[in-house]
Amino acid sequence: MKQQKADRRSQRTYRLVSSAFAELLGEKPYEEILVQDILDRADIGRTTFYAHYFDKEDVLSSMIAEQLKLFTHQISHAPARQRVIPSLELFEHIYDSPNQQFRALMRSRAGEPLWEALQTVLSQAIEPILSTFFAEKRSPSIPLPVVSQYLTGAFLTLLKWWVAADMPYPPEQMESIFQQLALPGVWTMLKEK
């Protein structure tokens, strides 16, 4: 993305373009979206667009970066509990978010880079938490990076399904489902001596 400007007009342009792009992702495949479609939907001129972005890939990259930043913030500010993953907070974040960009990206094939980045961020956040559970033990029966990848994959697969299905269950129920499906094996491993 080009050097992001901080003035109000530029911020307004970023919001208009992101919103327009998210709406378009909900209507048609990424490959079919043209810069002209974004311009028309955002009601901005070509010069304004190119003063802020290089192309539609740049718009996608900036949206992914912004959503990843929000997701990372949610993970880092989740209340400390006896949990390995702040799944309830993450389900709630997506459910309560008025921002449709994350959902649009999650439903689109264009969002694959977002899923990959989320996999990395979440697994990196989980591994230190797992380490604290093993602080007094010698070593776990399964390497912690493997457990971290497993939990991250299970959570993101469930999250992806939930969003694609238009969130048919409330976040609290999704949290319970995730806890029941993914964590019994982890807790068994943690109890092993």
Side-chain angles (χ1 to χ4, degrees):
M1 185 168 85
K2 292 186 176 183
Q3 180 79 22
Q4 191 160 12
K5 300 172 186 175
D7 65 81
R8 286 193 326 229
R9 286 187 323 192
S10 292
Q11 293 304 316
R12 179 179 176 274
T13 299
Y14 292 123
R15 281 192 308 274
L16 288 172
V17 169
S18 294
S19 295
F21 193 66
E23 288 174 13
L24 289 164
L25 281 173
E27 296 170 10
K28 57 184 170 179
Y30 171 77
E31 299 77 26
E32 294 178 15
I33 298 172
L34 305 173
V35 169
Q36 188 61 51
D37 296 329
I38 299 168
L39 300 176
D40 293 344
R41 183 68 58 99
D43 196 24
I44 61 169
R46 189 169 292 278
T47 304
T48 300
F49 177 86
Y50 285 112
H52 295 85
Y53 299 99
F54 293 111
D55 49 25
K56 76 174 186 178
E57 287 79 17
D58 195 22
V59 176
L60 177 63
S61 294
S62 72
M63 280 181 64
I64 288 172
E66 181 63 27
Q67 296 308 312
L68 187 58
K69 181 175 139 186
L70 293 171
F71 198 81
T72 303
H73 177 78
Q74 189 69 29
I75 291 170
S76 65
H77 288 83
R81 296 188 185 153
Q82 282 289 83
R83 293 184 305 155
V84 177
I85 182 171
S87 50
L88 177 60
E89 290 82 0
L90 297 173
F91 282 121
E92 287 174 340
H93 172 70
I94 293 165
Y95 188 80
D96 295 334
S97 176
N99 180 345
Q100 296 298 316
Q101 295 173 20
F102 193 74
R103 292 183 205 167
L105 281 171
M106 292 176 91
R107 289 181 176 138
S108 168
R109 282 194 358 228
E112 286 306 314
L114 176 62
W115 286 109
E116 291 168 12
L118 291 175
Q119 177 80 28
T120 300
V121 167
L122 198 51
S123 65
Q124 288 173 349
I126 291 172
E127 197 168 335
I129 296 167
L130 288 171
S131 294
T132 62
F133 287 113
F134 284 100
E136 297 174 7
K137 298 183 179 192
R138 287 192 208 148
S139 64
S141 60
I142 300 171
L144 295 184
V146 174
V147 178
S148 177
Q149 287 295 317
Y150 160 74
L151 285 174
T152 302
F155 175 75
L156 290 177
T157 298
L158 191 59
L159 180 66
K160 193 174 197 178
W161 170 84
W162 185 60
V163 171
D166 289 325
M167 297 180 266
Y169 307 107
E172 297 78 13
Q173 187 174 0
M174 291 306 296
E175 156 75 0
S176 175
I177 290 168
F178 174 72
Q179 295 287 329
Q180 290 175 50
L181 292 175
L183 292 173
V186 173
W187 296 130
T188 300
M189 181 192 72
L190 288 171
K191 292 176 184 173
E192 289 178 1
K193 300 209 178 184

